[in-house]
């Protein structure tokens, strides 16, 4: 599995505004155990800088624009520009990510597990070493 875009339904129109929704059973490749959101990140900094041993995520820019790039253990880099509130990126385990926010961007993440610091790989060298195991 690789990071890939997932489009979810959008109801409404430009006069009234729009509504999007996710149902675990129909729209997600994993059960939701946690929801978090990140905001007021300066556009001059890069967040992320880690991979997860087992966590799966679905990440949206519910406001603004978020540029997110992933590197897999095979060294392939995939980048996405999230700029629609109803299009998210599914992130499988073991992808290094770097995330850059526009002003006022809000990142919403649906996650397959509770927060477990031990699930993080925060050292890029340690992450790359895992490629010997695949
Ligand atoms: P981190 O996942 O490293 O943020 P980002 O990838 O956006 O740079 O998390 C930042 C800090 O917040 C880190 O100390 C762990 C903590 N944190 C929690 O306590 N619970 C959570 O659900 C998340 C996502 C982070």
């Amino acid at each position: 599995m690789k990071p890939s875009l997932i489009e979810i339904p959008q109801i409404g129109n430009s006069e009234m505004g729009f509504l999007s929704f996710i149902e675990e059973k129909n729209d997600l490749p994993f059960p939701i155990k946690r929801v978090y959101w990140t905001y007021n990140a300066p556009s001059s900094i890069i967040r992320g800088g880690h991979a997860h041993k087992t966590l799966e995520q679905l990440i949206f820019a519910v406001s603004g624009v978020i540029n997110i790039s992933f590197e897999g253990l095979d060294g392939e880099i995939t980048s996405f520009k999230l700029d629609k509130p109803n299009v998210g990126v599914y992130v499988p385990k073991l992808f290094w990510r770097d995330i850059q926010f526009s002003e006022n961007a809000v990142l919403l993440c649906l996650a397959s597990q509770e927060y477990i610091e031990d699930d993080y790989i925060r050292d890029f060298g340690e992450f790359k070493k895992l490629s010997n195991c695949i």
Side-chain angles (χ1 to χ4, degrees), residues 34 36 38 47-48 50 99 115 117 120 122:
R34 175 168 52 116
Y36 68 85
T38 310
R47 294 189 64 111
H50 64 258
I99 309 168
Y115 170 71
E117 181 58 34
Y120 281 74
R122 293 191 183 274

Side-chain angles (χ1 to χ4, degrees), residues 34-38 46-50 52 57 97 99 101 107 109 113-117 120 122:
R34 175 168 52 116
V35 177
Y36 68 85
W37 49 103
T38 310
I46 303 293
R47 294 189 64 111
H50 64 258
H52 284 281
Q57 295 161 293
R97 81 285 315 271
I99 309 168
F101 289 61
L107 178 153
C109 177
Q113 290 171 17
E114 294 83 3
Y115 170 71
I116 303 168
E117 181 58 34
Y120 281 74
R122 293 191 183 274

Side-chain angles (χ1 to χ4, degrees), residues 120-131:
Y120 281 74
I121 306 166
R122 293 191 183 274
D123 181 274
F124 190 67
E126 190 187 322
F127 172 68
K128 291 302 277 184
K129 271 191 211 154
L130 295 176
S131 59

Side-chain angles (χ1 to χ4, degrees), residues 10-76:
Q10 189 178 49
I11 294 175
N13 54 54
S14 53
E15 286 79 43
M16 289 295 291
F18 294 91
L19 177 155
S20 290
F21 58 90
I22 285 179
E23 294 182 348
E24 184 177 293
K25 201 171 80 165
N26 298 328
D27 305 304
L28 274 182
F30 55 82
I32 303 169
K33 293 275 178 57
R34 175 168 52 116
V35 177
Y36 68 85
W37 49 103
T38 310
Y39 45 92
N40 291 352
S43 57
S44 55
I45 61 111
I46 303 293
R47 294 189 64 111
H50 64 258
H52 284 281
K53 294 174 190 166
T54 62
L55 188 74
E56 296 173 75
Q57 295 161 293
L58 183 56
I59 293 176
F60 292 91
V62 288
S63 177
V65 179
I66 292 175
N67 288 297
I68 183 163
S69 73
F70 299 98
E71 180 166 341
L73 287 175
D74 59 2
E76 186 178 337

